Amino acid sequence: MATTLDATVRKLPAGGCAIDIQGDVTAESEAALMEAFTNACQDDAQTVLLNFERLEYMNSGGIGLLVTLMVRASRQGQRLAATGLSDHYRQIFELTRLDEAITILEREDDLLSTEHPT
């Protein structure tokens, strides 16, 4: 099954990168999401922001991919943050406790004003 995920990496101020997620995050998205994360980390980004504004669908396989990203980021001493979550997906982050490891921001600009201990 072909992936319906487009993950675009862009630079952020203050040593960060954003991954703009468009489409579905499922187990089939693994290659695209992991490639985007690897690209985001090439320049030693301290923070990787996952922008979910254009997310269409995420299932349990997609949640599993986010856990994998959390582990990779932690091993590399990086911070993960997320923005653009709908109320539905924000609730899923809370239920699965992803919000304890991934900082949830209202706006991308909030990234500059938050501190997160490493």
Side-chain angles (χ1 to χ4, degrees):
M1 180 179 199
T3 182
T4 56
L5 173 72
D6 181 29
T8 307
V9 177
R10 61 189 164 83
K11 298 273 186 215
L12 295 173
C17 282
I19 300 174
D20 294 320
I21 293 169
Q22 180 178 353
D24 301 341
V25 178
T26 64
E28 288 79 25
S29 317
E30 181 173 11
L33 190 57
M34 294 304 160
E35 179 181 351
F37 184 78
T38 299
N39 290 339
C41 297
Q42 282 182 346
D43 295 327
D44 296 324
Q46 297 170 357
T47 301
V48 177
L49 177 69
L50 303 172
N51 179 0
F52 289 104
E53 288 179 0
R54 298 177 77 187
L55 174 70
E56 294 175 19
Y57 173 75
M58 181 169 24
N59 64 11
S60 60
I63 296 292
L65 289 178
L66 295 181
V67 171
T68 300
L69 287 183
M70 286 175 10
V71 170
R72 286 182 64 184
S74 176
R75 286 183 183 157
Q76 295 171 189
Q78 294 169 307
R79 171 185 174 202
L80 272 184
T83 190
L85 288 168
S86 68
D87 289 340
H88 171 74
Y89 288 114
R90 186 180 291 255
Q91 184 176 27
I92 288 174
F93 268 52
E94 292 168 3
L95 289 170
T96 59
R97 294 185 163 179
L98 281 173
D99 64 329
E100 294 177 10
I102 300 175
T103 305
I104 298 176
L105 306 172
E106 289 295 321
R107 299 180 331 262
E108 186 173 305
D109 293 346
D110 294 340
L111 184 65
L112 297 175
S113 63
T114 60
E115 290 293 323
H116 184 72
T118 51

